[in-house]
Amino acid sequence: MTEKEIRVNLARNIKTFRAIRGFSQAELAEKSDISVAFMSQIECANKFPSPAVLAQISNALDVKVSELFSEKENVKSDNFKFMLDAMRSVLNGQMKSFEKFCEQFSNAEPTY
């Protein structure tokens, strides 16, 4: 595996774990005590973090450092995005239904 492949693999895994945790890139950078710009460079596979920064990122994501280097995709990116989008759609639909219910309830005449 080349250095570039290692960086790309690391970037993919960090992005996947970050998405699973629901962190924005800025939130992960803050939790990892690094700049957003550096986090972006890591996630774009342009920079490689030091062992200390890798430890900070893995702690923030609550995964082992070795999991950040896994060659196997822990969650297929496209499948995960599809599932996440589907869940958001369902939750949005439920929220709209609940809001409509609340509006109808608040506008209803008392029945007593």
Side-chain angles (χ1 to χ4, degrees), residues 12-41:
R12 182 198 67 228
N13 288 338
I14 289 173
K15 284 188 255 189
T16 300
F17 284 121
R18 178 173 62 78
I20 290 169
R21 301 294 182 273
F23 297 156
S24 68
Q25 198 174 68
E27 289 171 323
L28 180 56
E30 182 180 333
K31 292 175 184 297
S32 302
D33 197 29
I34 62 174
S35 72
V36 176
F38 187 43
M39 181 61 71
S40 176
Q41 291 292 308

Side-chain angles (χ1 to χ4, degrees), residues 7-93:
R7 284 196 320 259
V8 167
N9 191 55
L10 174 67
R12 182 198 67 228
N13 288 338
I14 289 173
K15 284 188 255 189
T16 300
F17 284 121
R18 178 173 62 78
I20 290 169
R21 301 294 182 273
F23 297 156
S24 68
Q25 198 174 68
E27 289 171 323
L28 180 56
E30 182 180 333
K31 292 175 184 297
S32 302
D33 197 29
I34 62 174
S35 72
V36 176
F38 187 43
M39 181 61 71
S40 176
Q41 291 292 308
I42 294 168
E43 286 195 1
C44 289
N46 294 329
K47 297 283 183 179
F48 193 82
S50 69
V53 171
L54 281 169
Q56 290 165 215
I57 294 169
S58 71
N59 286 337
L61 293 170
D62 195 28
V63 297
K64 296 176 185 173
V65 172
S66 61
E67 291 179 87
L68 297 178
F69 289 98
S70 174
E71 289 183 50
K72 236 192 323 186
E73 287 188 52
N74 294 302
V75 176
K76 299 281 185 202
S77 302
D78 291 339
N79 290 342
F80 177 73
K81 184 178 179 333
F82 171 78
M83 290 186 299
L84 196 57
D85 289 344
M87 288 175 57
R88 284 185 182 132
S89 176
V90 168
L91 292 175
N92 281 338

